[in-house]
Amino acid sequence: MRWIHAAGRGLLVLVVILTGYVASGARAAEPAGGGRGPLTVATAGDLTSYLGPLLAGWNRTHPGEKVTLVELPDSADEARAQMITDLRGGDRGRFDVLNIDVAWTSEFAAAGWIRPLPRDRFPLGSFLPPVVDTATYDGRLYAVPYVTNAGLLLYRKDVLAREGLAPPRTWAELERAAKTVAPKYGLDGYAGQFLPYEGLTVNAAEAVYSAGGTILGDEGERVTVNSEAAREGVEFLARGVREGWIPQEALTYKEEESKQAFLDGSLLFLRNWPYAYAAASAAGSPLAGKVGVAPLPGPDGPGASVLGGSNLAVNTHARHPDTAARLIAYLTSEPVQRQVLTRGTLPPVRAALYDDPGLIRRFPYLPTLRESVLTAAPRPKSPRYDQVSLVVQAAVQDAMTGRQTPGDAVRRLARELAAVSRR
């Protein structure tokens, strides 16, 4: 997913800030003791071209604590697989610090691959509260939030303005505009990320959560999805395809394909992450000045988003855990988080940045994003999250393609999740 491999870009920011600290003579106090030395940081593929020079700057100023960045494949699934292979190698592994998808924290912690972290070393009270929950498992902190994210509704504000309509707050309002307004302008109604991959899990969870339902409880030990609310959420997605206001093409969309369809002028509404709004609003975009952003709608008012983003975790067998903790503390400091937003257009975890007037002028979606993050929920927590995600994708895909009714799909999902929890 775009936000996991793009989050690797934020690692570059560390060097920019640290270089500035060193140049000004202001270096953080370094506690005495062991655990200091070189580190290897693993992240899904970083697509930038200036990583080498920035890491060279870090290494020049910290000759005894050099950081080497290992770029894994862009695909989140492939990056996860390579991280797990390394972590299973125990003290023979290469990776000390891992930039992981927020949904992997429970799995990695339950397996004993990442170490618990002391809360008092990190400014958790300065973060947006929901993001901290993505970094905990069994009541302990196993990672530190680095980048957050939440789904938003992008819409053609020029089209809605011509029709005298406000952005939809409910599913009924979205459906009505998608069915009646979109065709008048040669547009399809609504799309998200509906290809069977992690994006479909996210879209399905948002629909279920927006209807007031849940999927798992007790960190994966209890299946809660067999509910009327969950059926209502799945029915919303299935109805869209059945009635045509979700186009068939959307069943093949991931983040980039859905963003491009919106940029090409094919959609009235799009569920995506903030980066898609930034791309659509940028100078040179065919939709510059024509795009609005709102919280995701729900049955009776604003719905619920699923938290995205990445957390920074430390390998249980990290060679130099004190350096790893200091590295993470820098990455989550306010100056670095500001640069994560301004240089990487990635949503920071520091709450104060969402109230900064200068940043809001530059990134006008920040207040909406803050609202969405504060009402968002994590994906289902489970030590077997990869299996949970696969069964959610399969069941919801069958409902959206008409192979099963939404009710049957939810009942099947409950059975299969119960089987996963017993493994």
Side-chain angles (χ1 to χ4, degrees), residues 340-353:
V340 165
L341 174 63
T342 58
R343 292 176 177 266
T345 64
L346 299 171
V349 296
R350 288 273 188 160
L353 298 178

Side-chain angles (χ1 to χ4, degrees), residues 14 38 120 173 213 280 330 336 356 375 393 396:
L14 169 68
D120 59 0
E173 291 173 355
Y330 272 117
V336 173
D356 185 297
T375 59
Q393 293 166 32
V396 175

